[in-house]
Each structure stands twice: as C-alpha cells, then as structure tokens.
Amino acid sequence: MDSLENRVAIVTGAGSGLGRELAKLCAAEGMKLVLADVDEKGLEETRAMLGATESVVRRTDVTKREELDALASLTYDTFGKAHLLFNNAGVAASGPVWSSTADEWEWVMGVNVMGVVHGIQAFVPRMLEQGEPAHVVSTASLAGLTSVPGSGVYCVSKHSVVTLSECLYHDLQMAKADIGVSVLCPAFFKTGIAESERNRPQELSESNPDGAAFAQFVKAAIEAGKLSAEDVARTTLDAVKADRFYILPHKGARKSVELRMNDILNDRKPTSPMA
C-alpha cells in the first residue's frame, strides 16, 4: 500500500473533521472515494471539495450492520474493489461512570465499537476474496491506551477499538492475508467530536446529569489542540504507506501510555493522566 493511486478508499464519518481530511488527502493521492456519514449535508460538502475525484456518497448509520453491508455493495458495484477502509465514525460522552446513562452506553458503544465491527465484517471478507493488498484503519484515541477521569464510557469504547484492531491483525496474520491493519490513537485535536450530540438519536437522548463540566473541559482541550485534523490525517496516511500498526500523532502521548504500562507492570494503583 505504499502507492495509493487508482485504489479505492472508504471513509466513515466523512461529513466533517478527520473523515473529511482523510477523504481530501486520499483524493490528492489519486484514489477513488466512497464517503459515508449520517450527516448528508456534510457528506455533500466533503464531496464538493474533492473536485474531479471519482466518488460516491451514502448516508450510513454505522450502528446498523445492514447499512455497512449496503455500503460495501455500493463500493463493489461502483468500483469493483476496496483497498483502504477507514472505520472513522465516532461520538463522545462525558461524566463519572456512576451517573452515566444506559442511553449513553448504547449510543457510544453502538457507534464507536459496533461501527468498527460492522465495517470489518462488511468489507474484510470481500477484501480477502479480491486477493489484492488492502488496509484497515480504525480510529481509536489516546483514550484507548489510557484511562481518563470523567470519560469512562468513551474510554471503554476506544480501548475496545484498540484490542479489536490487535485481534484483527493477529487473525489476518494467521490467515496469511495481504491486508494491513492500523489503529489511530490521537490526543486532543481540532475536530467536531465535541459536537457529536448533534447526530445523537432522539430515542437515546438521556445524558449523564454530571457530564457538563467534563464536556466543557474536553471542548477547551480540543480548542487548545496544537494539531489540526489535516495534520492527523496526513500522519495516518503516511502510517498506512509505511504499514505501521499503532499511530500516535501526538509525540507527548507516549508518556501517558508508558505511565499506564508501568502502573500495570509495577503493581501500582492507576495514575491519572490528568495529574
């Protein structure tokens, strides 16, 4: 996958933020694009930015397996192949674990975890059949490698994406498949995830009553982020070409990961990454 020209990329969460920047960079590489999001207006805006790039869009709710199957069918019916899958759609919720709601757990786990599962199950079997080099990138977070106060629901979802990606890598290695895997674990950067409530289903609207202060902290941290969505997207595409598994765009992130690993290995109680 060191050359991406004329290959086909699928991007979920393509209507804004990181997904939009991934789509733009893939287009610049000469790829063909399949763009998915629940935000149809955002999807069309992204598509308009791609110029003459061959692309198709489809409103897709990643929590529903049948909609990922339909996205895979659209991809193969249109382009005949799939080479680079970005399981990128994601949402966030904040607040202490004890006051988190059942709605939050269902919504966040449905998008962040089952969305990745559905993407893998819809596309990887077809990638295996086509017998060409391919790659799967799933967006986790530094919160998938650390444990952050006030982010229990989100951290659980992103830790799941990390181990799911690791297991997928091992499974593909056992199958001797020419399919690479990467998991993206950025810290705070400027994206729209703090506004993910805008796409939250009405039937899952009950939020953590103690979440407001934590949500404000997250928004402030995102605004203060030194990397842009374009920076993170560029690092991600470079990692795909280099066949790197763990993608940590923020240099300082490794310190938090090392701290947690040392707590485990030295039998210490968890150290807060916010300390």
mmCIF file of all heavy atoms in Angstrom, residues 211-263:
data_model
loop_
_atom_site.group_PDB
_atom_site.id
_atom_site.type_symbol
_atom_site.label_atom_id
_atom_site.label_comp_id
_atom_site.label_asym_id
_atom_site.label_seq_id
_atom_site.Cartn_x
_atom_site.Cartn_y
_atom_site.Cartn_z
ATOM 1 N N GLY A 211 -22.303 15.417 33.557
ATOM 2 C CA GLY A 211 -21.327 15.437 32.483
ATOM 3 C C GLY A 211 -20.918 16.809 31.980
ATOM 4 O O GLY A 211 -19.909 16.934 31.283
ATOM 5 N N ALA A 212 -21.649 17.860 32.332
ATOM 6 C CA ALA A 212 -21.426 19.172 31.715
ATOM 7 C C ALA A 212 -20.017 19.706 31.956
ATOM 8 O O ALA A 212 -19.357 20.187 31.026
ATOM 9 C CB ALA A 212 -22.466 20.172 32.220
ATOM 10 N N ALA A 213 -19.534 19.631 33.190
ATOM 11 C CA ALA A 213 -18.210 20.179 33.499
ATOM 12 C C ALA A 213 -17.115 19.434 32.752
ATOM 13 O O ALA A 213 -16.169 20.045 32.242
ATOM 14 C CB ALA A 213 -17.950 20.106 35.003
ATOM 15 N N PHE A 214 -17.267 18.109 32.642
ATOM 16 C CA PHE A 214 -16.276 17.318 31.916
ATOM 17 C C PHE A 214 -16.326 17.631 30.422
ATOM 18 O O PHE A 214 -15.300 17.706 29.753
ATOM 19 C CB PHE A 214 -16.519 15.828 32.157
ATOM 20 C CG PHE A 214 -16.289 15.393 33.574
ATOM 21 C CD1 PHE A 214 -17.335 15.301 34.474
ATOM 22 C CD2 PHE A 214 -15.008 15.082 34.023
ATOM 23 C CE1 PHE A 214 -17.121 14.901 35.780
ATOM 24 C CE2 PHE A 214 -14.785 14.682 35.331
ATOM 25 C CZ PHE A 214 -15.838 14.600 36.214
ATOM 26 N N ALA A 215 -17.543 17.821 29.899
ATOM 27 C CA ALA A 215 -17.689 18.142 28.483
ATOM 28 C C ALA A 215 -17.046 19.488 28.160
ATOM 29 O O ALA A 215 -16.434 19.657 27.097
ATOM 30 C CB ALA A 215 -19.166 18.156 28.103
ATOM 31 N N GLN A 216 -17.170 20.444 29.065
ATOM 32 C CA GLN A 216 -16.546 21.752 28.846
ATOM 33 C C GLN A 216 -15.027 21.644 28.827
ATOM 34 O O GLN A 216 -14.348 22.303 28.038
ATOM 35 C CB GLN A 216 -16.983 22.739 29.936
ATOM 36 C CG GLN A 216 -18.382 23.286 29.740
ATOM 37 C CD GLN A 216 -18.532 23.992 28.406
ATOM 38 O OE1 GLN A 216 -19.321 23.572 27.562
ATOM 39 N NE2 GLN A 216 -17.775 25.055 28.191
ATOM 40 N N PHE A 217 -14.489 20.793 29.685
ATOM 41 C CA PHE A 217 -13.039 20.569 29.698
ATOM 42 C C PHE A 217 -12.585 19.997 28.356
ATOM 43 O O PHE A 217 -11.567 20.421 27.792
ATOM 44 C CB PHE A 217 -12.649 19.623 30.825
ATOM 45 C CG PHE A 217 -11.223 19.141 30.733
ATOM 46 C CD1 PHE A 217 -10.182 19.932 31.179
ATOM 47 C CD2 PHE A 217 -10.926 17.903 30.172
ATOM 48 C CE1 PHE A 217 -8.858 19.508 31.073
ATOM 49 C CE2 PHE A 217 -9.613 17.468 30.065
ATOM 50 C CZ PHE A 217 -8.581 18.273 30.513
ATOM 51 N N VAL A 218 -13.338 19.027 27.836
ATOM 52 C CA VAL A 218 -12.990 18.404 26.562
ATOM 53 C C VAL A 218 -13.010 19.443 25.441
ATOM 54 O O VAL A 218 -12.099 19.510 24.606
ATOM 55 C CB VAL A 218 -13.944 17.237 26.246
ATOM 56 C CG1 VAL A 218 -13.740 16.742 24.816
ATOM 57 C CG2 VAL A 218 -13.729 16.093 27.232
ATOM 58 N N LYS A 219 -14.045 20.287 25.419
ATOM 59 C CA LYS A 219 -14.136 21.319 24.380
ATOM 60 C C LYS A 219 -12.945 22.267 24.442
ATOM 61 O O LYS A 219 -12.372 22.640 23.416
ATOM 62 C CB LYS A 219 -15.448 22.094 24.532
ATOM 63 C CG LYS A 219 -16.678 21.319 24.094
ATOM 64 C CD LYS A 219 -17.936 22.161 24.220
ATOM 65 C CE LYS A 219 -19.166 21.373 23.777
ATOM 66 N NZ LYS A 219 -20.400 22.168 23.897
ATOM 67 N N ALA A 220 -12.579 22.661 25.665
ATOM 68 C CA ALA A 220 -11.440 23.569 25.827
ATOM 69 C C ALA A 220 -10.145 22.902 25.373
ATOM 70 O O ALA A 220 -9.299 23.534 24.728
ATOM 71 C CB ALA A 220 -11.327 24.011 27.287
ATOM 72 N N ALA A 221 -9.982 21.616 25.701
ATOM 73 C CA ALA A 221 -8.775 20.892 25.307
ATOM 74 C C ALA A 221 -8.694 20.738 23.789
ATOM 75 O O ALA A 221 -7.616 20.835 23.201
ATOM 76 C CB ALA A 221 -8.740 19.524 25.979
ATOM 77 N N ILE A 222 -9.839 20.515 23.159
ATOM 78 C CA ILE A 222 -9.866 20.397 21.696
ATOM 79 C C ILE A 222 -9.470 21.725 21.051
ATOM 80 O O ILE A 222 -8.671 21.768 20.111
ATOM 81 C CB ILE A 222 -11.261 19.950 21.218
ATOM 82 C CG1 ILE A 222 -11.479 18.477 21.575
ATOM 83 C CG2 ILE A 222 -11.424 20.171 19.718
ATOM 84 C CD1 ILE A 222 -12.891 17.984 21.336
ATOM 85 N N GLU A 223 -10.010 22.816 21.578
ATOM 86 C CA GLU A 223 -9.689 24.134 21.032
ATOM 87 C C GLU A 223 -8.211 24.467 21.204
ATOM 88 O O GLU A 223 -7.618 25.170 20.392
ATOM 89 C CB GLU A 223 -10.556 25.200 21.703
ATOM 90 C CG GLU A 223 -11.983 25.236 21.205
ATOM 91 C CD GLU A 223 -12.057 25.474 19.696
ATOM 92 O OE1 GLU A 223 -11.405 26.414 19.202
ATOM 93 O OE2 GLU A 223 -12.749 24.703 19.009
ATOM 94 N N ALA A 224 -7.628 23.955 22.273
ATOM 95 C CA ALA A 224 -6.214 24.238 22.553
ATOM 96 C C ALA A 224 -5.270 23.285 21.829
ATOM 97 O O ALA A 224 -4.051 23.441 21.893
ATOM 98 C CB ALA A 224 -5.950 24.153 24.058
ATOM 99 N N GLY A 225 -5.828 22.298 21.133
ATOM 100 C CA GLY A 225 -5.004 21.303 20.455
ATOM 101 C C GLY A 225 -4.067 21.926 19.435
ATOM 102 O O GLY A 225 -4.457 22.805 18.666
ATOM 103 N N LYS A 226 -2.844 21.477 19.423
ATOM 104 C CA LYS A 226 -1.828 22.048 18.527
ATOM 105 C C LYS A 226 -1.865 21.435 17.135
ATOM 106 O O LYS A 226 -1.380 22.033 16.169
ATOM 107 C CB LYS A 226 -0.439 21.876 19.141
ATOM 108 C CG LYS A 226 -0.246 22.677 20.424
ATOM 109 C CD LYS A 226 1.154 22.502 20.988
ATOM 110 C CE LYS A 226 1.328 23.322 22.262
ATOM 111 N NZ LYS A 226 2.688 23.161 22.848
ATOM 112 N N LEU A 227 -2.418 20.233 17.015
ATOM 113 C CA LEU A 227 -2.508 19.585 15.713
ATOM 114 C C LEU A 227 -3.896 19.812 15.119
ATOM 115 O O LEU A 227 -4.897 19.855 15.834
ATOM 116 C CB LEU A 227 -2.247 18.093 15.823
ATOM 117 C CG LEU A 227 -0.847 17.645 16.277
ATOM 118 C CD1 LEU A 227 -0.741 16.129 16.201
ATOM 119 C CD2 LEU A 227 0.242 18.293 15.436
ATOM 120 N N SER A 228 -3.954 19.934 13.818
ATOM 121 C CA SER A 228 -5.223 20.060 13.109
ATOM 122 C C SER A 228 -5.683 18.679 12.638
ATOM 123 O O SER A 228 -4.917 17.706 12.646
ATOM 124 C CB SER A 228 -5.068 20.980 11.910
ATOM 125 O OG SER A 228 -4.213 20.385 10.950
ATOM 126 N N ALA A 229 -6.932 18.609 12.192
ATOM 127 C CA ALA A 229 -7.427 17.358 11.617
ATOM 128 C C ALA A 229 -6.604 16.970 10.388
ATOM 129 O O ALA A 229 -6.341 15.789 10.147
ATOM 130 C CB ALA A 229 -8.904 17.499 11.257
ATOM 131 N N GLU A 230 -6.174 17.956 9.623
ATOM 132 C CA GLU A 230 -5.327 17.675 8.460
ATOM 133 C C GLU A 230 -3.989 17.073 8.885
ATOM 134 O O GLU A 230 -3.491 16.137 8.245
ATOM 135 C CB GLU A 230 -5.074 18.951 7.657
ATOM 136 C CG GLU A 230 -4.238 18.710 6.411
ATOM 137 C CD GLU A 230 -3.949 19.974 5.628
ATOM 138 O OE1 GLU A 230 -4.416 21.057 6.034
ATOM 139 O OE2 GLU A 230 -3.236 19.881 4.603
ATOM 140 N N ASP A 231 -3.406 17.578 9.970
ATOM 141 C CA ASP A 231 -2.155 17.019 10.477
ATOM 142 C C ASP A 231 -2.317 15.542 10.828
ATOM 143 O O ASP A 231 -1.479 14.707 10.483
ATOM 144 C CB ASP A 231 -1.688 17.781 11.728
ATOM 145 C CG ASP A 231 -1.300 19.220 11.450
ATOM 146 O OD1 ASP A 231 -0.828 19.514 10.336
ATOM 147 O OD2 ASP A 231 -1.478 20.059 12.368
ATOM 148 N N VAL A 232 -3.400 15.240 11.541
ATOM 149 C CA VAL A 232 -3.645 13.857 11.969
ATOM 150 C C VAL A 232 -3.910 12.969 10.758
ATOM 151 O O VAL A 232 -3.416 11.836 10.679
ATOM 152 C CB VAL A 232 -4.812 13.800 12.966
ATOM 153 C CG1 VAL A 232 -5.156 12.350 13.321
ATOM 154 C CG2 VAL A 232 -4.465 14.582 14.236
ATOM 155 N N ALA A 233 -4.664 13.478 9.789
ATOM 156 C CA ALA A 233 -4.944 12.703 8.584
ATOM 157 C C ALA A 233 -3.667 12.409 7.810
ATOM 158 O O ALA A 233 -3.463 11.292 7.314
ATOM 159 C CB ALA A 233 -5.940 13.453 7.705
ATOM 160 N N ARG A 234 -2.785 13.397 7.701
ATOM 161 C CA ARG A 234 -1.535 13.204 6.963
ATOM 162 C C ARG A 234 -0.656 12.153 7.654
ATOM 163 O O ARG A 234 -0.065 11.284 7.001
ATOM 164 C CB ARG A 234 -0.790 14.530 6.836
ATOM 165 C CG ARG A 234 0.354 14.491 5.817
ATOM 166 C CD ARG A 234 0.929 15.873 5.587
ATOM 167 N NE ARG A 234 -0.074 16.801 5.105
ATOM 168 C CZ ARG A 234 -0.494 16.859 3.840
ATOM 169 N NH1 ARG A 234 0.006 16.007 2.948
ATOM 170 N NH2 ARG A 234 -1.401 17.745 3.466
ATOM 171 N N THR A 235 -0.568 12.234 8.979
ATOM 172 C CA THR A 235 0.196 11.234 9.732
ATOM 173 C C THR A 235 -0.388 9.843 9.514
ATOM 174 O O THR A 235 0.349 8.848 9.391
ATOM 175 C CB THR A 235 0.186 11.582 11.226
ATOM 176 O OG1 THR A 235 0.803 12.852 11.425
ATOM 177 C CG2 THR A 235 0.930 10.537 12.049
ATOM 178 N N THR A 236 -1.713 9.767 9.457
ATOM 179 C CA THR A 236 -2.386 8.483 9.268
ATOM 180 C C THR A 236 -2.075 7.886 7.907
ATOM 181 O O THR A 236 -1.747 6.687 7.790
ATOM 182 C CB THR A 236 -3.907 8.656 9.426
ATOM 183 O OG1 THR A 236 -4.190 9.212 10.718
ATOM 184 C CG2 THR A 236 -4.629 7.331 9.286
ATOM 185 N N LEU A 237 -2.151 8.688 6.872
ATOM 186 C CA LEU A 237 -1.874 8.183 5.530
ATOM 187 C C LEU A 237 -0.409 7.758 5.389
ATOM 188 O O LEU A 237 -0.102 6.744 4.752
ATOM 189 C CB LEU A 237 -2.227 9.245 4.490
ATOM 190 C CG LEU A 237 -3.023 8.741 3.277
ATOM 191 C CD1 LEU A 237 -4.312 8.074 3.737
ATOM 192 C CD2 LEU A 237 -3.332 9.864 2.317
ATOM 193 N N ASP A 238 0.486 8.507 6.002
ATOM 194 C CA ASP A 238 1.903 8.126 5.992
ATOM 195 C C ASP A 238 2.104 6.772 6.677
ATOM 196 O O ASP A 238 2.910 5.947 6.237
ATOM 197 C CB ASP A 238 2.754 9.190 6.687
ATOM 198 C CG ASP A 238 2.878 10.476 5.872
ATOM 199 O OD1 ASP A 238 2.572 10.455 4.670
ATOM 200 O OD2 ASP A 238 3.276 11.505 6.463
ATOM 201 N N ALA A 239 1.369 6.558 7.771
ATOM 202 C CA ALA A 239 1.485 5.292 8.504
ATOM 203 C C ALA A 239 0.965 4.119 7.675
ATOM 204 O O ALA A 239 1.520 3.015 7.722
ATOM 205 C CB ALA A 239 0.718 5.380 9.821
ATOM 206 N N VAL A 240 -0.108 4.350 6.923
ATOM 207 C CA VAL A 240 -0.623 3.294 6.041
ATOM 208 C C VAL A 240 0.436 2.899 5.018
ATOM 209 O O VAL A 240 0.701 1.708 4.796
ATOM 210 C CB VAL A 240 -1.907 3.765 5.331
ATOM 211 C CG1 VAL A 240 -2.304 2.783 4.221
ATOM 212 C CG2 VAL A 240 -3.049 3.912 6.336
ATOM 213 N N LYS A 241 1.064 3.884 4.404
ATOM 214 C CA LYS A 241 2.090 3.599 3.394
ATOM 215 C C LYS A 241 3.275 2.850 4.002
ATOM 216 O O LYS A 241 3.897 2.010 3.340
ATOM 217 C CB LYS A 241 2.573 4.907 2.770
ATOM 218 C CG LYS A 241 1.525 5.608 1.931
ATOM 219 C CD LYS A 241 2.080 6.931 1.410
ATOM 220 C CE LYS A 241 1.046 7.707 0.645
ATOM 221 N NZ LYS A 241 1.581 9.004 0.159
ATOM 222 N N ALA A 242 3.569 3.155 5.272
ATOM 223 C CA ALA A 242 4.701 2.506 5.947
ATOM 224 C C ALA A 242 4.294 1.219 6.657
ATOM 225 O O ALA A 242 5.133 0.554 7.271
ATOM 226 C CB ALA A 242 5.324 3.468 6.957
ATOM 227 N N ASP A 243 2.988 0.868 6.596
ATOM 228 C CA ASP A 243 2.459 -0.337 7.242
ATOM 229 C C ASP A 243 2.737 -0.342 8.745
ATOM 230 O O ASP A 243 3.144 -1.352 9.320
ATOM 231 C CB ASP A 243 3.029 -1.599 6.596
ATOM 232 C CG ASP A 243 2.242 -2.860 6.971
ATOM 233 O OD1 ASP A 243 1.061 -2.724 7.333
ATOM 234 O OD2 ASP A 243 2.816 -3.967 6.920
ATOM 235 N N ARG A 244 2.496 0.813 9.393
ATOM 236 C CA ARG A 244 2.631 0.912 10.843
ATOM 237 C C ARG A 244 1.307 0.589 11.511
ATOM 238 O O ARG A 244 0.251 1.039 11.057
ATOM 239 C CB ARG A 244 3.089 2.320 11.246
ATOM 240 C CG ARG A 244 4.567 2.536 10.989
ATOM 241 C CD ARG A 244 5.025 3.955 11.268
ATOM 242 N NE ARG A 244 4.228 4.676 12.244
ATOM 243 C CZ ARG A 244 3.792 5.926 12.056
ATOM 244 N NH1 ARG A 244 4.051 6.564 10.932
ATOM 245 N NH2 ARG A 244 3.099 6.526 12.990
ATOM 246 N N PHE A 245 1.367 -0.158 12.600
ATOM 247 C CA PHE A 245 0.126 -0.546 13.293
ATOM 248 C C PHE A 245 -0.367 0.568 14.220
ATOM 249 O O PHE A 245 -1.455 1.096 14.040
ATOM 250 C CB PHE A 245 0.319 -1.849 14.077
ATOM 251 C CG PHE A 245 -0.949 -2.305 14.751
ATOM 252 C CD1 PHE A 245 -1.851 -3.096 14.068
ATOM 253 C CD2 PHE A 245 -1.244 -1.915 16.048
ATOM 254 C CE1 PHE A 245 -3.053 -3.493 14.664
ATOM 255 C CE2 PHE A 245 -2.429 -2.301 16.664
ATOM 256 C CZ PHE A 245 -3.332 -3.096 15.974
ATOM 257 N N TYR A 246 0.413 0.910 15.217
ATOM 258 C CA TYR A 246 -0.021 1.937 16.178
ATOM 259 C C TYR A 246 0.318 3.321 15.625
ATOM 260 O O TYR A 246 1.473 3.606 15.300
ATOM 261 C CB TYR A 246 0.668 1.762 17.529
ATOM 262 C CG TYR A 246 0.348 0.453 18.224
ATOM 263 C CD1 TYR A 246 1.273 -0.599 18.228
ATOM 264 C CD2 TYR A 246 -0.869 0.254 18.868
ATOM 265 C CE1 TYR A 246 0.985 -1.801 18.853
ATOM 266 C CE2 TYR A 246 -1.159 -0.945 19.499
ATOM 267 C CZ TYR A 246 -0.230 -1.976 19.491
ATOM 268 O OH TYR A 246 -0.511 -3.156 20.105
ATOM 269 N N ILE A 247 -0.688 4.183 15.540
ATOM 270 C CA ILE A 247 -0.485 5.537 15.040
ATOM 271 C C ILE A 247 -0.782 6.517 16.174
ATOM 272 O O ILE A 247 -1.934 6.670 16.592
ATOM 273 C CB ILE A 247 -1.392 5.850 13.842
ATOM 274 C CG1 ILE A 247 -1.310 4.750 12.781
ATOM 275 C CG2 ILE A 247 -1.024 7.202 13.236
ATOM 276 C CD1 ILE A 247 -2.301 4.912 11.636
ATOM 277 N N LEU A 248 0.267 7.153 16.682
ATOM 278 C CA LEU A 248 0.140 8.145 17.750
ATOM 279 C C LEU A 248 0.672 9.478 17.217
ATOM 280 O O LEU A 248 1.861 9.754 17.308
ATOM 281 C CB LEU A 248 0.913 7.726 19.005
ATOM 282 C CG LEU A 248 0.233 6.708 19.932
ATOM 283 C CD1 LEU A 248 0.215 5.326 19.308
ATOM 284 C CD2 LEU A 248 0.924 6.662 21.291
ATOM 285 N N PRO A 249 -0.192 10.302 16.651
ATOM 286 C CA PRO A 249 0.274 11.545 16.032
ATOM 287 C C PRO A 249 0.885 12.536 17.013
ATOM 288 O O PRO A 249 1.724 13.351 16.631
ATOM 289 C CB PRO A 249 -0.999 12.131 15.408
ATOM 290 C CG PRO A 249 -1.957 10.994 15.320
ATOM 291 C CD PRO A 249 -1.629 10.110 16.478
ATOM 292 N N HIS A 250 0.447 12.498 18.276
ATOM 293 C CA HIS A 250 0.948 13.432 19.278
ATOM 294 C C HIS A 250 2.176 12.845 19.967
ATOM 295 O O HIS A 250 2.094 11.788 20.603
ATOM 296 C CB HIS A 250 -0.133 13.743 20.314
ATOM 297 C CG HIS A 250 -1.321 14.463 19.744
ATOM 298 N ND1 HIS A 250 -2.297 13.815 19.021
ATOM 299 C CD2 HIS A 250 -1.671 15.778 19.790
ATOM 300 C CE1 HIS A 250 -3.221 14.693 18.656
ATOM 301 N NE2 HIS A 250 -2.861 15.883 19.097
ATOM 302 N N LYS A 251 3.302 13.522 19.842
ATOM 303 C CA LYS A 251 4.556 12.993 20.377
ATOM 304 C C LYS A 251 4.506 12.768 21.880
ATOM 305 O O LYS A 251 5.072 11.816 22.404
ATOM 306 C CB LYS A 251 5.711 13.938 20.021
ATOM 307 C CG LYS A 251 6.009 13.992 18.524
ATOM 308 C CD LYS A 251 7.174 14.918 18.221
ATOM 309 C CE LYS A 251 7.461 14.949 16.724
ATOM 310 N NZ LYS A 251 8.575 15.871 16.390
ATOM 311 N N GLY A 252 3.834 13.660 22.602
ATOM 312 C CA GLY A 252 3.782 13.535 24.056
ATOM 313 C C GLY A 252 2.883 12.420 24.544
ATOM 314 O O GLY A 252 2.901 12.073 25.731
ATOM 315 N N ALA A 253 2.090 11.834 23.644
ATOM 316 C CA ALA A 253 1.130 10.810 24.046
ATOM 317 C C ALA A 253 1.806 9.574 24.615
ATOM 318 O O ALA A 253 1.258 8.897 25.498
ATOM 319 C CB ALA A 253 0.259 10.423 22.862
ATOM 320 N N ARG A 254 2.981 9.265 24.135
ATOM 321 C CA ARG A 254 3.658 8.054 24.584
ATOM 322 C C ARG A 254 3.969 8.082 26.075
ATOM 323 O O ARG A 254 4.049 7.030 26.719
ATOM 324 C CB ARG A 254 4.937 7.852 23.768
ATOM 325 C CG ARG A 254 4.667 7.388 22.354
ATOM 326 C CD ARG A 254 5.894 7.422 21.467
ATOM 327 N NE ARG A 254 5.646 6.780 20.182
ATOM 328 C CZ ARG A 254 4.969 7.328 19.188
ATOM 329 N NH1 ARG A 254 4.496 8.556 19.321
ATOM 330 N NH2 ARG A 254 4.777 6.676 18.055
ATOM 331 N N LYS A 255 4.134 9.263 26.640
ATOM 332 C CA LYS A 255 4.408 9.359 28.073
ATOM 333 C C LYS A 255 3.226 8.855 28.901
ATOM 334 O O LYS A 255 3.414 8.165 29.903
ATOM 335 C CB LYS A 255 4.739 10.807 28.442
ATOM 336 C CG LYS A 255 6.042 11.320 27.833
ATOM 337 C CD LYS A 255 6.318 12.757 28.239
ATOM 338 C CE LYS A 255 7.610 13.268 27.615
ATOM 339 N NZ LYS A 255 7.870 14.696 27.959
ATOM 340 N N SER A 256 2.019 9.203 28.477
ATOM 341 C CA SER A 256 0.829 8.739 29.189
ATOM 342 C C SER A 256 0.664 7.235 29.079
ATOM 343 O O SER A 256 0.283 6.557 30.036
ATOM 344 C CB SER A 256 -0.420 9.439 28.628
ATOM 345 O OG SER A 256 -0.362 10.826 28.837
ATOM 346 N N VAL A 257 0.970 6.709 27.893
ATOM 347 C CA VAL A 257 0.871 5.264 27.691
ATOM 348 C C VAL A 257 1.906 4.533 28.538
ATOM 349 O O VAL A 257 1.614 3.528 29.189
ATOM 350 C CB VAL A 257 1.055 4.920 26.201
ATOM 351 C CG1 VAL A 257 0.976 3.403 25.992
ATOM 352 C CG2 VAL A 257 0.012 5.626 25.351
ATOM 353 N N GLU A 258 3.113 5.051 28.554
ATOM 354 C CA GLU A 258 4.197 4.450 29.347
ATOM 355 C C GLU A 258 3.847 4.471 30.832
ATOM 356 O O GLU A 258 4.101 3.495 31.559
ATOM 357 C CB GLU A 258 5.498 5.207 29.099
ATOM 358 C CG GLU A 258 6.694 4.605 29.827
ATOM 359 C CD GLU A 258 7.987 5.357 29.550
ATOM 360 O OE1 GLU A 258 7.913 6.511 29.085
ATOM 361 O OE2 GLU A 258 9.065 4.790 29.797
ATOM 362 N N LEU A 259 3.243 5.560 31.288
ATOM 363 C CA LEU A 259 2.858 5.676 32.694
ATOM 364 C C LEU A 259 1.865 4.585 33.068
ATOM 365 O O LEU A 259 2.007 3.916 34.098
ATOM 366 C CB LEU A 259 2.258 7.060 32.951
ATOM 367 C CG LEU A 259 1.776 7.349 34.366
ATOM 368 C CD1 LEU A 259 2.943 7.298 35.357
ATOM 369 C CD2 LEU A 259 1.103 8.728 34.426
ATOM 370 N N ARG A 260 0.865 4.364 32.213
ATOM 371 C CA ARG A 260 -0.127 3.328 32.493
ATOM 372 C C ARG A 260 0.513 1.944 32.469
ATOM 373 O O ARG A 260 0.230 1.098 33.334
ATOM 374 C CB ARG A 260 -1.262 3.401 31.477
ATOM 375 C CG ARG A 260 -2.322 2.323 31.684
ATOM 376 C CD ARG A 260 -3.535 2.552 30.791
ATOM 377 N NE ARG A 260 -4.524 1.524 31.042
ATOM 378 C CZ ARG A 260 -4.656 0.402 30.328
ATOM 379 N NH1 ARG A 260 -3.823 0.165 29.308
ATOM 380 N NH2 ARG A 260 -5.587 -0.480 30.615
ATOM 381 N N MET A 261 1.364 1.673 31.492
ATOM 382 C CA MET A 261 2.025 0.376 31.415
ATOM 383 C C MET A 261 2.879 0.108 32.647
ATOM 384 O O MET A 261 2.906 -1.009 33.181
ATOM 385 C CB MET A 261 2.882 0.296 30.144
ATOM 386 C CG MET A 261 2.108 0.257 28.845
ATOM 387 S SD MET A 261 1.045 -1.211 28.678
ATOM 388 C CE MET A 261 -0.571 -0.491 29.046
ATOM 389 N N ASN A 262 3.567 1.136 33.114
ATOM 390 C CA ASN A 262 4.400 0.970 34.309
ATOM 391 C C ASN A 262 3.553 0.741 35.552
ATOM 392 O O ASN A 262 3.950 -0.003 36.460
ATOM 393 C CB ASN A 262 5.308 2.187 34.496
ATOM 394 C CG ASN A 262 6.506 2.149 33.569
ATOM 395 O OD1 ASN A 262 6.992 1.086 33.206
ATOM 396 N ND2 ASN A 262 6.993 3.317 33.174
ATOM 397 N N ASP A 263 2.383 1.367 35.634
ATOM 398 C CA ASP A 263 1.466 1.093 36.753
ATOM 399 C C ASP A 263 1.096 -0.386 36.777
ATOM 400 O O ASP A 263 1.076 -1.029 37.830
ATOM 401 C CB ASP A 263 0.191 1.935 36.610
ATOM 402 C CG ASP A 263 0.397 3.397 36.988
ATOM 403 O OD1 ASP A 263 1.423 3.715 37.626
ATOM 404 O OD2 ASP A 263 -0.474 4.215 36.633
#
